[in-house]
Amino acid sequence: EPEVTQTPSHQVTQMGQEVILRCVPISNHLYFYWYRQILGQKVEFLVSFYNNEISEKSEIFDDQFSVERPDGSNFTLKIRSTKLEDSAMYFCASYTDPSGNTIYFGEGSWLTVV
Amino acid sequence: LAKTTQPISMDSYEGQEVNITCSHNNIATNDYITWYQQFPSQGPRFIIQGYKTKVTNEVASLFIPADRKSSTLSLPRVSLSDTAVYYCLVGPSTGGGNKLTFGTGTQLKVEL
């Protein structure tokens, strides 16, 4: 089965620090997403990315967040100055195109802000 | 975006068939219906996807009536390892870039 890989699996960071979460989407996929899930809550959409630009973003995705596809294979989420409430599991997802229509998710990066 | 409604929780026993129904009254013409399974602290895992009628794979079946305003995920013989949260999602529409919006999902608990 195709696989989206994420690193790190778990990161602990101090409040105010910058964090970069990395994702390697499935190789022929063109549409990329970040979602997050706070413990015990539902999965929330953060941002979608296509053709090297943001397609859509949620209210959660404020100026502290940014995404990048630096080298054609990685897809990163940066949080500039982390807050306690950023503690969550962050999922990367990708899919190939509308005719494929199956979005595959990575296993997640668990971020703990202390 | 189509909103989905599912039961919050369901209980079953090993060996039973489980049917989870999802309503999506505002589904768009080009939306697909996809079901995901999520275990604690893991990413959502694709189970099955369909557009209309019935789809079956090695783990589940998906029944979609003609009006497509609902769908039913059928797990034929559940085991303890099927205890998880199941999400029904609709989209993304043709044209790309559209997000999938998660609802609260259905917590399935399977007991001996």
Side-chain angles (χ1 to χ4, degrees), chain A residues 67-93:
Chain A
V67 289
E68 199 176 35
R69 190 157 159 79
D71 56 13
S73 61
N74 291 288
F75 180 50
T76 61
L77 174 70
K78 182 194 289 187
I79 309 175
R80 266 180 263 284
S81 178
T82 50
K83 304 190 270 287
L84 294 176
E85 53 265 37
D86 294 326
S87 294
M89 184 79 100
Y90 289 81
F91 297 110
C92 173

Side-chain angles (χ1 to χ4, degrees), chain A residues 9-30:
Chain A
S9 56
H10 188 193
Q11 182 163 352
V12 180
T13 190
Q14 294 221 323
M15 196 167 52
Q17 294 296 302
E18 177 183 281
V19 160
I20 297 176
L21 305 178
R22 291 183 168 79
C23 168
V24 179
I26 295 166
S27 62
N28 63 337
H29 284 192
L30 303 174

